[in-house]
Amino acid sequence: MAGHFEATPGGGAAVALDEVEIAILRSLAVQLLELIGPGDEPAEGEDPLAALFAEGPSEPPTDPALARLFPEAYGDEDDELRAASSEFRRFTENDLRTRKREDALVVVRTLDALTPAGDDAAVLTLTADECRNWLGSLNDLRLTIGTRLEVSDEDEEGSLYRLPDSDPRKPMVMAYLWLGALQETLVETLMT
């Protein structure tokens, strides 16, 4: 089980994680939460139904990682498509941000519930719902890191593996590849 997810009864999955892996995953999930930003919770005394009808931003994010997490719906080749994308974003981005935040929070909370014993790995056991949250968050983490590393389809297969240890991107590349392996085994587990 070390390093990869395995199926559990009831549609869940489990993986053994050591203290360092737990710390890395938690740190990355917290950084993702910071990147996505705080939720738009209704203020005390505010009508909670009003929050349901709140409009989101109409412009795409300027941060490339956020733009990757919240992409244009229809492209921006012409004014009509830009207008349609703007309208789509205005009514969907808040919900998408909320879901991404919830996914990352599930990662943090499930990791916080683990107690590794010394050098032994702790076994993280996820329910079927938590697996979906983890898949979403692992995907968001990989998209974010891949954007920061400027990963392209050509790069992913070759040059990432050949970075010298002295390259300052090496730790992030290793995290990117490790998250990909975790994501792959979780998907495989859920498909069995």
Side-chain angles (χ1 to χ4, degrees):
M1 180 183 308
H4 64 275
F5 281 95
E6 293 181 6
T8 61
V15 63
L17 300 169
D18 64 30
E19 280 188 72
V20 172
E21 293 168 327
I22 293 167
I24 290 169
L25 283 166
R26 189 182 191 291
S27 174
L28 290 172
V30 168
Q31 290 176 55
L32 181 62
L33 284 165
E34 290 170 358
L35 178 67
I36 292 169
D40 294 329
E41 297 296 321
E44 190 172 323
E46 185 181 351
D47 180 8
L49 287 177
L52 289 175
F53 298 103
E55 294 181 6
S58 59
E59 296 298 318
T62 55
D63 181 316
L66 283 173
R68 185 72 174 106
L69 292 174
F70 305 105
E72 289 292 338
Y74 305 108
D76 61 356
E77 291 81 38
D78 62 41
D79 289 340
E80 191 174 310
L81 289 177
R82 272 192 296 279
S85 285
S86 175
E87 197 70 2
F88 184 80
R89 178 179 301 284
R90 193 163 61 107
F91 292 110
T92 61
E93 187 170 312
N94 285 345
D95 288 340
L96 187 56
R97 280 182 185 268
T98 298
R99 193 198 51 145
K100 290 178 181 300
R101 244 188 319 277
E102 288 171 358
D103 288 347
L105 282 170
V106 167
V107 170
V108 171
R109 288 178 183 137
T110 55
L111 291 171
D112 284 350
L114 291 178
T115 53
D119 291 337
D120 294 334
V123 176
L124 173 69
T125 304
L126 303 173
T127 65
D129 286 340
E130 290 169 338
C131 287
R132 285 186 283 282
N133 296 120
W134 267 75
L135 275 177
S137 200
L138 287 171
N139 187 62
D140 291 343
L141 287 169
R142 290 195 75 238
L143 287 173
T144 302
I145 294 170
T147 301
R148 296 284 191 241
L149 291 170
E150 298 178 349
V151 172
S152 68
D153 290 338
E154 299 82 40
D155 293 335
E156 191 168 346
E157 293 305 316
S159 65
L160 289 180
Y161 293 105
R162 293 189 296 272
L163 282 178
D165 289 341
S166 60
D167 191 308
R169 299 173 298 163
K170 184 78 173 209
M172 272 289 115
V173 168
M174 297 306 294
Y176 175 79
L177 295 172
W178 176 56
L179 291 170
L182 279 176
Q183 184 179 22
E184 183 178 349
T185 63
L186 183 52
V187 168
E188 289 171 356
T189 297
L190 295 176
M191 292 179 66
T192 58

